[in-house]
Amino acid sequence: MDVYKITGENRLQGTIKVSGAKNSAVALIPASILANSPVTIGGIPEISDAWTLKALLEEIGGEVSFENGKMTIDPTEMIALPLPNGNVKKLRASYYLMGAMLGRFKKAVIGLPGGCFLGPRPIDQHIKGFEALGAKITNEHGAIYLRADELIGAKIYLDVASVGATINIMLAAVLAKGRTVIENAAKEPEIIDVATLLTNMGANIKGAGTSVIRIEGVEELHGTEHTIIPDRIEASTFLIMAAAVGDGITIDNVIPLHLEAIIAKLREMGVKIEIGEESIYVPKTDLSTLQAVDVKTLVYPGFPTDIQQPLAVLMSQAFGSSKVTDTIYTARFKHIDELRRMNADARVEGNTAIIKGPSRLHGSTVTATDLRAGAALVLAGLLAEGETEIQDIYHIERGYSSLIEKLRDLGADIRRETIVARVAETKE
């Protein structure tokens, strides 16, 4: 298996560039199905989820090229082939194929989505939206069957402000007849990014980024060119890293507005942050002055659930007792056990993690249980004394593009190694 080996306690310095947003890419790529001519999307991160989606679009007849972060998709020959398993199981966001294929073909068969296990992540709000538009949905043999004679605009109130459901309903509604109104819509920047692409393709969408989105259905959508927004979660991860092990790091290709919640929390801890137009500079942080903070994750524009795990590493260096309450995903604390292996003083009580600091972290063998837990362990490895080995790195590579190269350019001692799995010796 492949692992990351990190020798810690190196100070990092220089400029690190943020890739395009993973959570945008996984929706923009399926959105191209709705066009009647080629769509080009620039700035796509070279992550496994993007390659998986490329393969899925090719399975249904799309012609797709992907190089240097630019994906060109020709959807003209696509057909509504069932996608019951295989690649669909590899990523959570394969559910966007439901909305896109339903919108274009009025039918789809999609296997239940995969991805990181973070506790219950139901797609009931997606299904509620599709049914409101006139689709019949059944679950047969572990796949979702969607069928509609035609899609007709409707008023849809989301019980929870789900990003996935908001985008999926938008995808299904842009070619429906009449007007669709999504109330209690999620407001994440990725939703605005998808709406921008669809609008450039000829869709009529108003209110993306607010809690009410109005869509007037159109007859057809055409190809376009679009550049993806920077990844705010990757940018936030690098901000935390700069505070923990940086001797002056510039994070380039960011939209500071998208990072307000994390910047405010880091400043509260005592981290100095200088904001430019499209970059952020973090001077060397004196860890001896770092203060404990309490964090509660919320939907955007609140503190993102994806960042509480990397932040836990910085909390382990702060003076006092920090608390993280995750209101989004209850199972998002598996990194705490791994950090404890590295000598962090942390425990979980219900949906809250309590982290006491400062603790001197020690290198250890740890496992990335999901994408953002993996990012937290990379930060912990950079900070810890000795060598850290991180297993199950495929989770990390689902969301961070060229991570090793980016960190080595700053002076990190990190490498990827293939090791032969150790077989436990049995003693009589």
Side-chain angles (χ1 to χ4, degrees), residues 26-77:
V26 294
L28 293 168
I29 296 167
S32 67
I33 292 172
L34 294 160
N36 62 10
S37 53
V39 175
T40 300
I41 307 165
I44 290 185
E46 305 251 348
I47 52 174
S48 55
D49 277 11
W51 290 105
T52 301
L53 281 166
K54 174 183 185 285
L56 282 164
L57 294 193
E58 288 171 337
E59 273 182 56
I60 61 169
E63 275 190 35
V64 190
S65 68
F66 183 27
E67 50 191 323
N68 301 324
K70 182 177 275 196
M71 191 178 285
T72 298
I73 302 143
D74 184 347
T76 45
E77 301 295 317

Side-chain angles (χ1 to χ4, degrees), residues 47-189:
I47 52 174
S48 55
D49 277 11
W51 290 105
T52 301
L53 281 166
K54 174 183 185 285
L56 282 164
L57 294 193
E58 288 171 337
E59 273 182 56
I60 61 169
E63 275 190 35
V64 190
S65 68
F66 183 27
E67 50 191 323
N68 301 324
K70 182 177 275 196
M71 191 178 285
T72 298
I73 302 143
D74 184 347
T76 45
E77 301 295 317
M78 285 182 182
I79 52 172
L81 276 181
L83 296 167
N85 43 37
N87 281 319
V88 163
K89 302 286 187 194
K90 291 183 185 171
L91 76 159
R92 177 78 193 157
S94 57
Y95 54 48
Y96 290 130
L97 294 165
M98 294 180 190
M101 290 178 76
L102 183 62
R104 174 160 170 192
F105 303 115
K106 309 297 177 274
K107 61 178 181 178
V109 178
I110 309 288
L112 286 167
C116 298
F117 183 74
L118 303 173
R121 301 165 82 181
I123 59 167
D124 57 327
Q125 296 300 301
H126 305 232
I127 289 167
K128 171 181 164 175
F130 297 150
E131 287 178 337
L133 294 170
K136 290 187 173 56
I137 320 274
T138 53
N139 184 346
E140 300 168 30
H141 319 297
I144 305 282
Y145 282 68
L146 306 98
R147 306 175 181 91
D149 294 328
E150 62 175 353
L151 296 175
I152 296 172
K155 196 172 198 176
I156 299 159
Y157 180 87
L158 296 178
D159 300 325
V160 285
S162 154
V163 176
T166 302
I167 291 175
N168 230 342
I169 295 164
M170 275 185 1
L171 295 176
V174 285
L175 292 174
K177 287 193 173 127
R179 166 180 279 206
T180 299
V181 180
I182 308 170
E183 295 183 332
N184 194 31
K187 302 174 188 170
E188 271 72 359

Side-chain angles (χ1 to χ4, degrees), residues 256-274:
L257 177 71
H258 293 170
L259 306 172
E260 284 186 334
I262 176 82
I263 289 169
K265 200 49 77 171
L266 288 173
R267 282 177 167 159
E268 193 182 322
M269 292 179 80
V271 179
K272 290 186 172 58
I273 294 174
E274 298 168 18

Side-chain angles (χ1 to χ4, degrees), residues 350-421:
N351 66 341
T352 300
I354 295 146
I355 300 145
K356 291 183 179 164
S359 303
R360 189 163 171 78
L361 300 183
H362 306 311
S364 180
T365 298
V366 289
T367 303
T369 52
D370 60 75
L371 168 56
R372 306 305 172 183
L377 296 176
V378 170
L379 294 188
L382 294 170
L383 198 56
E385 60 177 334
E387 185 175 84
T388 297
E389 178 183 299
I390 303 176
Q391 301 179 351
D392 289 355
I393 58 170
Y394 63 90
H395 282 301
I396 302 170
E397 293 179 349
R398 279 191 47 238
Y400 290 89
S401 172
S402 312
L403 185 63
I404 286 190
E405 294 80 0
K406 288 180 181 183
L407 295 180
R408 288 173 80 141
D409 284 348
L410 296 177
D413 185 343
I414 177 171
R415 64 192 186 278
R416 184 189 174 126
E417 272 188 18
T418 302
I419 58 169
V420 179

Side-chain angles (χ1 to χ4, degrees), residues 250-427:
T250 299
I251 295 123
D252 197 18
N253 189 35
V254 296
I255 299 175
L257 177 71
H258 293 170
L259 306 172
E260 284 186 334
I262 176 82
I263 289 169
K265 200 49 77 171
L266 288 173
R267 282 177 167 159
E268 193 182 322
M269 292 179 80
V271 179
K272 290 186 172 58
I273 294 174
E274 298 168 18
I275 298 173
E277 274 187 28
E278 291 182 357
S279 66
I280 296 175
Y281 176 71
V282 182
K284 182 174 181 176
T285 301
D286 181 357
L287 293 182
S288 68
T289 64
L290 220 51
Q291 295 302 311
V293 290
D294 290 352
V295 167
K296 185 176 187 180
T297 68
L298 294 162
V299 295
Y300 188 86
F303 193 93
T305 171
D306 300 75
I307 284 304
Q308 59 94 345
Q309 292 154 292
L311 190 67
V313 177
L314 192 61
M315 288 172 161
S316 76
Q317 304 306 300
F319 279 78
S321 184
S322 293
K323 273 198 329 200
V324 179
T325 304
D326 202 321
T327 65
I328 315 286
Y329 293 131
T330 49
R332 205 162 205 167
F333 289 116
K334 294 184 184 142
H335 59 296
I336 294 294
D337 281 345
E338 303 302 312
L339 291 175
R340 285 170 64 170
R341 291 177 205 267
M342 299 177 74
N343 196 44
D345 182 351
R347 67 182 193 277
V348 179
E349 292 179 2
N351 66 341
T352 300
I354 295 146
I355 300 145
K356 291 183 179 164
S359 303
R360 189 163 171 78
L361 300 183
H362 306 311
S364 180
T365 298
V366 289
T367 303
T369 52
D370 60 75
L371 168 56
R372 306 305 172 183
L377 296 176
V378 170
L379 294 188
L382 294 170
L383 198 56
E385 60 177 334
E387 185 175 84
T388 297
E389 178 183 299
I390 303 176
Q391 301 179 351
D392 289 355
I393 58 170
Y394 63 90
H395 282 301
I396 302 170
E397 293 179 349
R398 279 191 47 238
Y400 290 89
S401 172
S402 312
L403 185 63
I404 286 190
E405 294 80 0
K406 288 180 181 183
L407 295 180
R408 288 173 80 141
D409 284 348
L410 296 177
D413 185 343
I414 177 171
R415 64 192 186 278
R416 184 189 174 126
E417 272 188 18
T418 302
I419 58 169
V420 179
R422 304 176 187 91
V423 179
E425 291 177 24
T426 53
K427 292 187 175 147

